[in-house]
């Protein structure tokens, strides 16, 4: 791992030892407005899918409560300006190296509702056990507080876990769950425009939004390799090439 002007040696030491670091208020106003522009679209798209299915719940999505709307950049290509930006390239070079792919992208939006918490999991728990850990960039589009649904991490030193662990599906919420202990986790309160960067094997959860306003987060995930589906027949995610030999090769 190599430091950059954005990601310092201290950040990288923390990433190595604890699995995460935080970049405070690093998005420009233009980047923040670009990402906010897709938030309502992501809600409307899932509501329409629920309407078509005649349900108020699709997977881990629950109407009017919480939304995990993925691959929105494929509908709104202007998001590529951020996903393949110099900002994200610096983060990927520092943590993943000179080869990187966009693996997954999604909006995570919580309405004001006490049932919007999300269970302890690893992002890798939603893939399968046979892959190299990838990178999650959790981007606050609003000021994130404990009251409106902060993410809570279990750093390596607190969980003792640095690799994939088996998850169990919650039969009511469809959440994948991997931790049932009493540690509340480390709250990642963050100002809008900040990025919480962590490994896909860091155990984390998020609290409920107890305010009367939506809490909007954008997540961009990158990997060193193309992660295949569990049966090996297809790619699991998007895998748009981003960095090759450290150079941005993506179309922006």
């Amino acid at each position: 791992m190599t430091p950059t002007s954005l990601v310092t040696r201290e950040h990288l030491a923390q990433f190595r030892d604890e699995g995460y670091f935080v970049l405070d208020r690093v998005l420009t106003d233009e980047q923040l407005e670009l990402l906010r522009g897709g938030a309502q679209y992501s809600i409307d798209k899932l509501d329409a899918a629920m309407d078509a299915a005649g349900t108020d719940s699709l997977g881990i999505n629950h109407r009017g409560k919480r939304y995990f709307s993925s691959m929105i950049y494929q509908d709104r290509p202007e998001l590529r300006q951020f996903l393949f930006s110099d900002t994200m390239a610096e983060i990927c070079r520092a943590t993943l190296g000179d080869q990187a792919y966009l693996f997954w992208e999604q909006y995570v939006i919580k309405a004001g509702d006490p049932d919007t918490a999300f269970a302890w999991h690893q992002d890798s728990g939603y893939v399968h056990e046979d892959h190299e850990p990838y990178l999650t960039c959790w981007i606050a589009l609003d000021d994130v507080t404990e009251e409106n649904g902060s993410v809570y991490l279990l750093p390596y030193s607190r969980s003792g876990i640095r690799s994939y662990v088996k998850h169990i599906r919650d039969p009511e919420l469809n959440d994948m769950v991997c931790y049932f202990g009493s540690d509340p986790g480390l709250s990642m309160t963050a100002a809008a425009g900040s990025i919480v960067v962590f490994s896909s094997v860091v155990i984390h959860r998020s609290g409920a939004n107890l305010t009367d306003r939506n809490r909007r987060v954008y997540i961009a995930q990158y990997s060193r390799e193309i992660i295949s589906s569990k049966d090996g027949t297809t790619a699991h995610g998007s895998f748009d090439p981003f960095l090759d030999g450290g150079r941005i090769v993506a179309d922006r």
Side-chain angles (χ1 to χ4, degrees), residues 8 40 93 125 136 147 167 195 201-202 204 207 222 231 233 239:
T8 67
Q40 187 59 49
R93 287 190 199 102
T136 293
E147 188 181 14
H167 288 59
I195 306 177
V201 294
V202 168
H204 59 288
Y222 302 88
D231 63 9
T233 59
F239 298 108

Side-chain angles (χ1 to χ4, degrees), residues 23-216:
L23 299 173
D24 185 48
R25 303 174 192 259
V26 292
L27 268 66
T28 65
D29 290 343
E30 291 77 15
Q31 288 174 325
L32 195 52
E33 287 309 305
L34 173 68
L35 297 185
R36 284 171 171 169
Q40 187 59 49
Y41 174 85
S42 72
I43 292 175
D44 294 342
K45 183 176 181 179
L46 272 172
D47 278 345
M50 291 185 210
D51 289 343
T55 183
D56 288 325
S57 178
L58 278 177
I60 59 176
N61 299 284
H62 301 276
R63 188 194 301 270
K65 295 184 177 182
R66 66 183 201 191
Y67 294 87
F68 298 79
S69 194
S70 59
M71 300 309 184
I72 297 301
Y73 84 106
Q74 294 178 350
D75 297 344
R76 299 177 68 95
E78 66 270 21
L79 293 173
R80 296 178 67 92
Q81 298 170 37
F82 175 79
L83 291 167
F84 302 118
S85 64
D86 292 340
T87 301
M88 303 314 291
E90 278 201 53
I91 295 170
C92 286
R93 287 190 199 102
T95 55
L96 297 175
D98 287 343
Q99 193 79 20
Y101 299 86
L102 175 66
F103 167 50
W104 199 258
E105 167 262 29
Q106 66 180 1
Y107 282 91
V108 179
I109 299 173
K110 293 186 176 188
D113 189 287
D115 294 327
T116 53
F118 197 55
W120 284 115
H121 67 285
Q122 299 169 315
D123 287 340
S124 284
Y126 283 87
V127 185
H128 52 72
E129 67 275 13
D130 187 23
H131 67 273
E132 184 178 352
Y134 54 91
L135 188 72
T136 293
C137 297
W138 191 96
I139 303 157
L141 304 186
D142 303 296
D143 292 343
V144 176
T145 66
E146 292 195 54
E147 188 181 14
N148 71 4
S150 170
V151 67
Y152 296 80
L153 305 185
L154 282 181
Y156 294 152
S157 62
R158 287 169 69 159
S159 70
I161 300 295
R162 290 173 174 264
S163 60
Y164 174 94
V165 296
K166 183 176 176 59
H167 288 59
I168 298 171
R169 187 176 296 278
D170 182 297
E172 182 177 351
L173 297 175
N174 289 318
D175 295 359
M176 299 296 288
V177 189
C178 71
Y179 177 70
F180 300 89
S182 59
D183 191 329
L186 185 62
S187 176
M188 295 285 107
T189 56
S194 301
I195 306 177
V196 183
V197 180
F198 56 95
S199 167
S200 67
V201 294
V202 168
I203 297 172
H204 59 288
R205 67 178 178 93
S206 61
N209 182 357
L210 303 178
T211 72
D212 60 359
R213 300 182 64 183
N214 284 350
R215 187 230 67 183
R216 300 168 296 178

